PDB file of all heavy atoms in Angstrom:
ATOM      1  N   VAL A1021     150.022 116.694 117.231  1.00 94.00           N
ATOM      2  CA  VAL A1021     150.035 115.225 117.299  1.00 94.00           C
ATOM      3  C   VAL A1021     151.454 114.728 117.081  1.00 94.00           C
ATOM      4  O   VAL A1021     151.929 113.820 117.754  1.00 94.00           O
ATOM      5  CB  VAL A1021     149.105 114.626 116.223  1.00 94.00           C
ATOM      6  CG1 VAL A1021     149.231 113.109 116.208  1.00 94.00           C
ATOM      7  CG2 VAL A1021     147.678 115.009 116.491  1.00 94.00           C
ATOM      8  N   ALA A1026     148.107 114.028 122.356  1.00 95.00           N
ATOM      9  CA  ALA A1026     146.919 113.370 121.838  1.00 95.00           C
ATOM     10  C   ALA A1026     145.710 113.797 122.657  1.00 95.00           C
ATOM     11  O   ALA A1026     145.782 113.879 123.879  1.00 95.00           O
ATOM     12  CB  ALA A1026     147.078 111.861 121.877  1.00 95.00           C
ATOM     13  N   PHE A1035     135.416 108.194 114.108  1.00 96.00           N
ATOM     14  CA  PHE A1035     134.949 108.143 112.729  1.00 96.00           C
ATOM     15  C   PHE A1035     133.910 107.023 112.670  1.00 96.00           C
ATOM     16  O   PHE A1035     134.226 105.879 112.369  1.00 96.00           O
ATOM     17  CB  PHE A1035     136.114 107.883 111.784  1.00 96.00           C
ATOM     18  CG  PHE A1035     137.177 108.951 111.882  1.00 96.00           C
ATOM     19  CD1 PHE A1035     138.354 108.706 112.560  1.00 96.00           C
ATOM     20  CD2 PHE A1035     136.968 110.197 111.326  1.00 96.00           C
ATOM     21  CE1 PHE A1035     139.327 109.691 112.658  1.00 96.00           C
ATOM     22  CE2 PHE A1035     137.936 111.188 111.427  1.00 96.00           C
ATOM     23  CZ  PHE A1035     139.104 110.935 112.094  1.00 96.00           C
ATOM     24  N   VAL A1040     136.593  99.873 113.232  1.00 96.00           N
ATOM     25  CA  VAL A1040     137.491 100.014 114.382  1.00 96.00           C
ATOM     26  C   VAL A1040     138.935 100.019 113.897  1.00 96.00           C
ATOM     27  O   VAL A1040     139.755 100.842 114.310  1.00 96.00           O
ATOM     28  CB  VAL A1040     137.245  98.853 115.369  1.00 96.00           C
ATOM     29  CG1 VAL A1040     138.330  98.803 116.433  1.00 96.00           C
ATOM     30  CG2 VAL A1040     135.865  98.995 116.010  1.00 96.00           C
ATOM     31  N   SER A1041     139.219  99.107 112.980  1.00 95.00           N
ATOM     32  CA  SER A1041     140.570  99.005 112.441  1.00 95.00           C
ATOM     33  C   SER A1041     141.004 100.305 111.755  1.00 95.00           C
ATOM     34  O   SER A1041     142.121 100.788 111.956  1.00 95.00           O
ATOM     35  CB  SER A1041     140.590  97.834 111.455  1.00 95.00           C
ATOM     36  OG  SER A1041     141.886  97.566 111.067  1.00 95.00           O
ATOM     37  N   ASP A1042     140.107 100.885 110.944  1.00 94.00           N
ATOM     38  CA  ASP A1042     140.419 102.155 110.267  1.00 94.00           C
ATOM     39  C   ASP A1042     140.601 103.284 111.282  1.00 94.00           C
ATOM     40  O   ASP A1042     141.454 104.159 111.115  1.00 94.00           O
ATOM     41  CB  ASP A1042     139.312 102.537 109.285  1.00 94.00           C
ATOM     42  CG  ASP A1042     139.427 101.779 107.962  1.00 94.00           C
ATOM     43  OD1 ASP A1042     140.506 101.206 107.712  1.00 94.00           O
ATOM     44  OD2 ASP A1042     138.452 101.758 107.202  1.00 94.00           O
ATOM     45  N   ASN A1043     139.781 103.287 112.317  1.00 96.00           N
ATOM     46  CA  ASN A1043     139.917 104.312 113.348  1.00 96.00           C
ATOM     47  C   ASN A1043     141.291 104.242 114.006  1.00 96.00           C
ATOM     48  O   ASN A1043     141.934 105.270 114.233  1.00 96.00           O
ATOM     49  CB  ASN A1043     138.824 104.159 114.407  1.00 96.00           C
ATOM     50  CG  ASN A1043     137.564 104.934 114.068  1.00 96.00           C
ATOM     51  OD1 ASN A1043     137.451 106.117 114.361  1.00 96.00           O
ATOM     52  ND2 ASN A1043     136.619 104.269 113.417  1.00 96.00           N
ATOM     53  N   LEU A1044     141.736 103.014 114.284  1.00 95.00           N
ATOM     54  CA  LEU A1044     143.058 102.864 114.884  1.00 95.00           C
ATOM     55  C   LEU A1044     144.140 103.283 113.896  1.00 95.00           C
ATOM     56  O   LEU A1044     145.096 103.972 114.252  1.00 95.00           O
ATOM     57  CB  LEU A1044     143.280 101.417 115.335  1.00 95.00           C
ATOM     58  CG  LEU A1044     142.406 100.969 116.531  1.00 95.00           C
ATOM     59  CD1 LEU A1044     142.643  99.493 116.833  1.00 95.00           C
ATOM     60  CD2 LEU A1044     142.713 101.811 117.765  1.00 95.00           C
ATOM     61  N   ALA A1045     143.959 102.894 112.633  1.00 94.00           N
ATOM     62  CA  ALA A1045     144.942 103.278 111.616  1.00 94.00           C
ATOM     63  C   ALA A1045     145.026 104.797 111.520  1.00 94.00           C
ATOM     64  O   ALA A1045     146.116 105.370 111.382  1.00 94.00           O
ATOM     65  CB  ALA A1045     144.557 102.671 110.265  1.00 94.00           C
ATOM     66  N   LEU A1046     143.877 105.469 111.604  1.00 95.00           N
ATOM     67  CA  LEU A1046     143.889 106.936 111.540  1.00 95.00           C
ATOM     68  C   LEU A1046     144.564 107.533 112.768  1.00 95.00           C
ATOM     69  O   LEU A1046     145.226 108.569 112.675  1.00 95.00           O
ATOM     70  CB  LEU A1046     142.464 107.468 111.402  1.00 95.00           C
ATOM     71  CG  LEU A1046     141.925 107.399 109.972  1.00 95.00           C
ATOM     72  CD1 LEU A1046     140.413 107.510 109.942  1.00 95.00           C
ATOM     73  CD2 LEU A1046     142.557 108.492 109.114  1.00 95.00           C
ATOM     74  N   GLY A1047     144.419 106.846 113.902  1.00 95.00           N
ATOM     75  CA  GLY A1047     145.100 107.325 115.095  1.00 95.00           C
ATOM     76  C   GLY A1047     146.609 107.362 114.893  1.00 95.00           C
ATOM     77  O   GLY A1047     147.301 108.225 115.427  1.00 95.00           O
ATOM     78  N   ALA A1048     147.104 106.429 114.093  1.00 93.00           N
ATOM     79  CA  ALA A1048     148.540 106.358 113.841  1.00 93.00           C
ATOM     80  C   ALA A1048     148.908 107.086 112.557  1.00 93.00           C
ATOM     81  O   ALA A1048     149.990 106.887 112.021  1.00 93.00           O
ATOM     82  CB  ALA A1048     148.973 104.893 113.743  1.00 93.00           C
ATOM     83  N   TYR A1049     148.006 107.965 112.098  1.00 93.00           N
ATOM     84  CA  TYR A1049     148.226 108.625 110.804  1.00 93.00           C
ATOM     85  C   TYR A1049     149.564 109.346 110.738  1.00 93.00           C
ATOM     86  O   TYR A1049     150.208 109.400 109.706  1.00 93.00           O
ATOM     87  CB  TYR A1049     147.088 109.614 110.547  1.00 93.00           C
ATOM     88  CG  TYR A1049     147.142 110.239 109.183  1.00 93.00           C
ATOM     89  CD1 TYR A1049     146.621 109.565 108.072  1.00 93.00           C
ATOM     90  CD2 TYR A1049     147.728 111.483 108.974  1.00 93.00           C
ATOM     91  CE1 TYR A1049     146.682 110.117 106.815  1.00 93.00           C
ATOM     92  CE2 TYR A1049     147.795 112.040 107.711  1.00 93.00           C
ATOM     93  CZ  TYR A1049     147.264 111.354 106.635  1.00 93.00           C
ATOM     94  OH  TYR A1049     147.332 111.908 105.397  1.00 93.00           O
ATOM     95  N   ALA A1050     149.979 109.900 111.868  1.00 88.00           N
ATOM     96  CA  ALA A1050     151.207 110.696 111.876  1.00 88.00           C
ATOM     97  C   ALA A1050     152.469 109.824 111.844  1.00 88.00           C
ATOM     98  O   ALA A1050     153.575 110.338 111.747  1.00 88.00           O
ATOM     99  CB  ALA A1050     151.227 111.614 113.092  1.00 88.00           C
ATOM    100  N   HIS A1051     152.296 108.502 111.953  1.00 82.00           N
ATOM    101  CA  HIS A1051     153.467 107.622 111.969  1.00 82.00           C
ATOM    102  C   HIS A1051     153.411 106.646 110.821  1.00 82.00           C
ATOM    103  O   HIS A1051     152.373 106.362 110.273  1.00 82.00           O
ATOM    104  CB  HIS A1051     153.531 106.834 113.276  1.00 82.00           C
ATOM    105  CG  HIS A1051     153.621 107.712 114.464  1.00 82.00           C
ATOM    106  ND1 HIS A1051     154.754 108.384 114.803  1.00 82.00           N
ATOM    107  CD2 HIS A1051     152.682 108.063 115.368  1.00 82.00           C
ATOM    108  CE1 HIS A1051     154.526 109.104 115.878  1.00 82.00           C
ATOM    109  NE2 HIS A1051     153.272 108.930 116.237  1.00 82.00           N
ATOM    110  N   PRO A1054     152.781 101.486 112.551  1.00 78.00           N
ATOM    111  CA  PRO A1054     151.978 101.413 113.761  1.00 78.00           C
ATOM    112  C   PRO A1054     151.844 100.020 114.361  1.00 78.00           C
ATOM    113  O   PRO A1054     151.121  99.845 115.342  1.00 78.00           O
ATOM    114  CB  PRO A1054     150.607 101.900 113.281  1.00 78.00           C
ATOM    115  CG  PRO A1054     150.564 101.547 111.837  1.00 78.00           C
ATOM    116  CD  PRO A1054     151.976 101.381 111.343  1.00 78.00           C
ATOM    117  N   VAL A1057     152.578  99.547 118.382  1.00 89.00           N
ATOM    118  CA  VAL A1057     151.690 100.272 119.270  1.00 89.00           C
ATOM    119  C   VAL A1057     150.269  99.736 119.147  1.00 89.00           C
ATOM    120  O   VAL A1057     149.503  99.696 120.100  1.00 89.00           O
ATOM    121  CB  VAL A1057     151.755 101.797 119.017  1.00 89.00           C
ATOM    122  CG1 VAL A1057     151.375 102.139 117.611  1.00 89.00           C
ATOM    123  CG2 VAL A1057     150.907 102.551 120.005  1.00 89.00           C
ATOM    124  N   LEU A1087     137.856 102.848 122.276  1.00 97.00           N
ATOM    125  CA  LEU A1087     138.407 103.093 120.938  1.00 97.00           C
ATOM    126  C   LEU A1087     138.976 104.512 120.857  1.00 97.00           C
ATOM    127  O   LEU A1087     140.043 104.731 120.267  1.00 97.00           O
ATOM    128  CB  LEU A1087     137.333 102.877 119.870  1.00 97.00           C
ATOM    129  CG  LEU A1087     137.773 103.109 118.416  1.00 97.00           C
ATOM    130  CD1 LEU A1087     138.986 102.266 118.059  1.00 97.00           C
ATOM    131  CD2 LEU A1087     136.630 102.817 117.448  1.00 97.00           C
ATOM    132  N   ALA A1088     138.269 105.464 121.459  1.00 97.00           N
ATOM    133  CA  ALA A1088     138.767 106.849 121.422  1.00 97.00           C
ATOM    134  C   ALA A1088     140.122 106.958 122.122  1.00 97.00           C
ATOM    135  O   ALA A1088     141.037 107.620 121.638  1.00 97.00           O
ATOM    136  CB  ALA A1088     137.752 107.786 122.066  1.00 97.00           C
ATOM    137  N   GLY A1090     142.155 104.372 122.633  1.00 96.00           N
ATOM    138  CA  GLY A1090     143.075 103.570 121.816  1.00 96.00           C
ATOM    139  C   GLY A1090     143.567 104.346 120.611  1.00 96.00           C
ATOM    140  O   GLY A1090     144.755 104.334 120.280  1.00 96.00           O
ATOM    141  N   ARG A1091     142.661 105.062 119.963  1.00 96.00           N
ATOM    142  CA  ARG A1091     143.049 105.852 118.793  1.00 96.00           C
ATOM    143  C   ARG A1091     144.081 106.907 119.184  1.00 96.00           C
ATOM    144  O   ARG A1091     145.057 107.137 118.483  1.00 96.00           O
ATOM    145  CB  ARG A1091     141.807 106.523 118.193  1.00 96.00           C
ATOM    146  CG  ARG A1091     142.109 107.307 116.934  1.00 96.00           C
ATOM    147  CD  ARG A1091     140.880 107.993 116.386  1.00 96.00           C
ATOM    148  NE  ARG A1091     140.436 109.064 117.260  1.00 96.00           N
ATOM    149  CZ  ARG A1091     139.365 109.824 117.029  1.00 96.00           C
ATOM    150  NH1 ARG A1091     138.626 109.592 115.966  1.00 96.00           N
ATOM    151  NH2 ARG A1091     139.028 110.775 117.866  1.00 96.00           N
ATOM    152  N   ALA A1092     143.840 107.547 120.348  1.00 96.00           N
ATOM    153  CA  ALA A1092     144.793 108.568 120.806  1.00 96.00           C
ATOM    154  C   ALA A1092     146.154 107.925 121.105  1.00 96.00           C
ATOM    155  O   ALA A1092     147.199 108.480 120.781  1.00 96.00           O
ATOM    156  CB  ALA A1092     144.251 109.277 122.037  1.00 96.00           C
ATOM    157  N   LEU A1093     146.135 106.735 121.698  1.00 95.00           N
ATOM    158  CA  LEU A1093     147.405 106.062 122.029  1.00 95.00           C
ATOM    159  C   LEU A1093     148.187 105.670 120.786  1.00 95.00           C
ATOM    160  O   LEU A1093     149.415 105.584 120.812  1.00 95.00           O
ATOM    161  CB  LEU A1093     147.129 104.807 122.866  1.00 95.00           C
ATOM    162  CG  LEU A1093     146.737 105.058 124.319  1.00 95.00           C
ATOM    163  CD1 LEU A1093     146.325 103.751 124.971  1.00 95.00           C
ATOM    164  CD2 LEU A1093     147.897 105.691 125.071  1.00 95.00           C
ATOM    165  N   MET A1094     147.451 105.430 119.681  1.00 95.00           N
ATOM    166  CA  MET A1094     148.117 105.020 118.437  1.00 95.00           C
ATOM    167  C   MET A1094     149.113 106.064 117.961  1.00 95.00           C
ATOM    168  O   MET A1094     150.031 105.748 117.199  1.00 95.00           O
ATOM    169  CB  MET A1094     147.076 104.765 117.334  1.00 95.00           C
ATOM    170  CG  MET A1094     146.226 103.533 117.524  1.00 95.00           C
ATOM    171  SD  MET A1094     147.145 101.987 117.479  1.00 95.00           S
ATOM    172  CE  MET A1094     147.506 101.819 115.734  1.00 95.00           C
ATOM    173  N   SER A1095     148.935 107.311 118.370  1.00 93.00           N
ATOM    174  CA  SER A1095     149.887 108.347 117.933  1.00 93.00           C
ATOM    175  C   SER A1095     151.128 108.385 118.825  1.00 93.00           C
ATOM    176  O   SER A1095     151.959 109.275 118.689  1.00 93.00           O
ATOM    177  CB  SER A1095     149.202 109.711 117.909  1.00 93.00           C
ATOM    178  OG  SER A1095     148.918 110.131 119.233  1.00 93.00           O
ATOM    179  N   ARG A1096     151.254 107.426 119.741  1.00 93.00           N
ATOM    180  CA  ARG A1096     152.385 107.353 120.680  1.00 93.00           C
ATOM    181  C   ARG A1096     152.611 108.674 121.400  1.00 93.00           C
ATOM    182  O   ARG A1096     153.661 109.307 121.275  1.00 93.00           O
ATOM    183  CB  ARG A1096     153.671 106.971 119.952  1.00 93.00           C
ATOM    184  CG  ARG A1096     153.645 105.549 119.459  1.00 93.00           C
ATOM    185  CD  ARG A1096     154.964 105.243 118.796  1.00 93.00           C
ATOM    186  NE  ARG A1096     154.735 104.424 117.634  1.00 93.00           N
ATOM    187  CZ  ARG A1096     155.558 104.358 116.596  1.00 93.00           C
ATOM    188  NH1 ARG A1096     156.653 105.081 116.573  1.00 93.00           N
ATOM    189  NH2 ARG A1096     155.286 103.583 115.587  1.00 93.00           N
ATOM    190  N   PRO A1097     151.607 109.123 122.139  1.00 94.00           N
ATOM    191  CA  PRO A1097     151.701 110.437 122.769  1.00 94.00           C
ATOM    192  C   PRO A1097     152.624 110.439 123.985  1.00 94.00           C
ATOM    193  O   PRO A1097     152.809 109.416 124.637  1.00 94.00           O
ATOM    194  CB  PRO A1097     150.261 110.703 123.210  1.00 94.00           C
ATOM    195  CG  PRO A1097     149.685 109.350 123.435  1.00 94.00           C
ATOM    196  CD  PRO A1097     150.336 108.450 122.427  1.00 94.00           C
TER     197      PRO A1097
ATOM    198  N   LEU B 560     142.292 107.214 103.024  1.00 93.00           N
ATOM    199  CA  LEU B 560     141.818 107.117 104.406  1.00 93.00           C
ATOM    200  C   LEU B 560     141.629 108.518 104.995  1.00 93.00           C
ATOM    201  O   LEU B 560     140.627 108.814 105.651  1.00 93.00           O
ATOM    202  CB  LEU B 560     142.835 106.317 105.230  1.00 93.00           C
ATOM    203  CG  LEU B 560     142.404 105.874 106.630  1.00 93.00           C
ATOM    204  CD1 LEU B 560     141.175 104.994 106.561  1.00 93.00           C
ATOM    205  CD2 LEU B 560     143.554 105.140 107.326  1.00 93.00           C
ATOM    206  N   ALA B 571     137.907 115.896 114.034  1.00 95.00           N
ATOM    207  CA  ALA B 571     138.409 114.568 114.374  1.00 95.00           C
ATOM    208  C   ALA B 571     139.627 114.236 113.513  1.00 95.00           C
ATOM    209  O   ALA B 571     140.602 113.654 113.983  1.00 95.00           O
ATOM    210  CB  ALA B 571     137.315 113.522 114.181  1.00 95.00           C
ATOM    211  N   ILE B 574     142.747 116.108 114.878  1.00 94.00           N
ATOM    212  CA  ILE B 574     143.379 115.653 116.116  1.00 94.00           C
ATOM    213  C   ILE B 574     144.139 114.341 115.939  1.00 94.00           C
ATOM    214  O   ILE B 574     144.944 113.988 116.781  1.00 94.00           O
ATOM    215  CB  ILE B 574     142.394 115.541 117.317  1.00 94.00           C
ATOM    216  CG1 ILE B 574     141.311 114.538 117.026  1.00 94.00           C
ATOM    217  CG2 ILE B 574     141.838 116.894 117.694  1.00 94.00           C
ATOM    218  CD1 ILE B 574     140.437 114.263 118.243  1.00 94.00           C
ATOM    219  N   VAL B 575     143.888 113.619 114.834  1.00 95.00           N
ATOM    220  CA  VAL B 575     144.751 112.456 114.607  1.00 95.00           C
ATOM    221  C   VAL B 575     145.935 112.815 113.710  1.00 95.00           C
ATOM    222  O   VAL B 575     146.743 111.955 113.364  1.00 95.00           O
ATOM    223  CB  VAL B 575     143.993 111.243 114.014  1.00 95.00           C
ATOM    224  CG1 VAL B 575     142.910 110.783 114.946  1.00 95.00           C
ATOM    225  CG2 VAL B 575     143.446 111.544 112.637  1.00 95.00           C
ATOM    226  N   GLY B 576     146.036 114.082 113.318  1.00 94.00           N
ATOM    227  CA  GLY B 576     147.227 114.507 112.604  1.00 94.00           C
ATOM    228  C   GLY B 576     147.057 114.706 111.107  1.00 94.00           C
ATOM    229  O   GLY B 576     148.045 114.817 110.380  1.00 94.00           O
ATOM    230  N   ILE B 577     145.811 114.742 110.629  1.00 96.00           N
ATOM    231  CA  ILE B 577     145.608 114.935 109.195  1.00 96.00           C
ATOM    232  C   ILE B 577     145.590 116.431 108.882  1.00 96.00           C
ATOM    233  O   ILE B 577     144.892 117.200 109.537  1.00 96.00           O
ATOM    234  CB  ILE B 577     144.285 114.284 108.742  1.00 96.00           C
ATOM    235  CG1 ILE B 577     144.378 112.769 108.916  1.00 96.00           C
ATOM    236  CG2 ILE B 577     143.975 114.643 107.297  1.00 96.00           C
ATOM    237  CD1 ILE B 577     143.065 112.059 108.731  1.00 96.00           C
TER     238      ILE B 577
END
Side-chain angles (χ1 to χ4, degrees):
Chain A
V1021 174
F1035 301 104
V1040 169
S1041 189
D1042 280 344
N1043 271 275
L1044 291 176
L1046 280 162
Y1049 186 83
H1051 300 286
V1057 59
L1087 180 55
R1091 183 182 69 181
L1093 286 173
M1094 289 296 286
S1095 69
R1096 291 182 219 156
Chain B
L560 191 60
I574 61 172
V575 299
I577 295 170

